[in-house]
Amino acid sequence: MTTRQAANSPTAPRSIERQLKEALHSGKRVYGTLVTSTSPKSIEALAGLGLDCVMIDTEHIPMGWHDLGWMCRAYRSLGIVSIVRIPKADPFDACRVLDMGAGGVVAAYIETAEEVRLLRGAVKLRPLKGRKLEGILSGRHELEGELADYVQRRNENNILLVNIESVAALEALDEILAVPDLDGLLIGPHDLSCSLGVPEQYDHPEFAEAVLQIVTKARAKNVGVGVHNLPEMTQEIRWGRAGLNLILHLSDVTLFRRGLHENLSALRGAFDEDASTGLPKDIII
């Protein structure tokens, strides 16, 4: 049996990326966190925690392609899928992060179905380009025969998600979900709350209504739906019970700050010091 035949054998083990993709569509809950550190120690620290995935952010975090490449491959060696966020619906960036070893791509601030179609071409229809790709994405032509089989095999492990972060995205949600091969929606709570006019008010009725709309419509299409970096675990639990199944819990920086703050406060309290200054309470002026 050739390597290609073995890879497509019914008994061949599924890749971790394919397992994650199937979980997203089926509604099975998966867990991850957002990572910003490029330190090898950070990768070592996440081993054995049962994480399904990590999101590596290239939108807000300064990170070179070399660092991104070894991080994606190092996480994969631990059985953790790397989902890389790119700043916009740029098919060239999407192709590049997949070449670096990412298991999935999520594009920030998507507002139109056309943006999702561009990403589909880069993530799900590689290596097609140019007019041939445009014809398929527009629906004028179809993939057939050996080429269809080849493209499907080549891209079956690639995961495509898009960030839903605005009122415009909510208005276009039905059209976005109609684009073939979309694996999941990822709610950006901060930007969405700002677009709704209720900044960082994650318990506001308008925000809650918007999240419920996204969750309901995505799951009705068997598309995964997640949220990243909600400030309170109770909010993640609430939306998880409503059907949200991709939970990216906080980030390495946020967890580090929270843990350090709690420990320092406890230490200062034990030594009868003021938490804000670190000085003994009896000498504070």
Side-chain angles (χ1 to χ4, degrees), residues 121-242:
V123 177
K124 302 290 189 171
L125 297 174
R126 302 177 78 195
L128 302 183
K129 301 180 181 71
R131 291 185 180 179
K132 191 172 190 70
L133 177 60
E134 290 173 6
I136 293 167
L137 292 176
S138 67
R140 297 193 307 272
H141 306 294
E142 292 184 4
L143 273 176
E144 297 178 334
E146 291 186 15
L147 181 60
D149 292 339
Y150 171 79
V151 170
Q152 191 277 329
R153 285 196 307 270
R154 174 164 176 166
N155 299 290
E156 66 181 356
N157 294 324
N158 295 344
I159 300 167
L160 174 59
L161 303 100
V162 297
N163 263 144
I164 301 299
E165 307 181 83
S166 69
V167 172
L170 288 173
E171 293 171 346
L173 197 56
D174 291 333
E175 290 80 10
I176 287 171
L177 285 167
V179 178
D181 299 323
L182 180 62
D183 296 309
L185 306 179
L186 186 60
I187 300 167
H190 181 266
D191 283 348
L192 180 58
S193 69
C194 289
S195 183
L196 289 166
V198 291
E200 298 186 20
Q201 297 175 53
Y202 303 121
D203 291 321
H204 194 284
E206 286 190 40
F207 181 81
E209 182 182 352
V211 172
L212 186 60
Q213 178 185 347
I214 296 167
V215 172
T216 302
K217 289 191 173 185
R219 294 307 309 138
K221 294 288 187 178
N222 294 320
V223 171
V225 58
V227 67
H228 66 85
N229 224 21
L230 274 173
E232 299 298 334
M233 193 183 304
T234 54
Q235 295 161 338
E236 293 174 315
I237 294 170
R238 174 188 179 188
W239 294 116
R241 288 173 174 165

Side-chain angles (χ1 to χ4, degrees), residues 101-113:
V105 177
V106 55
Y109 221 85
I110 296 301
E111 294 189 319
T112 68

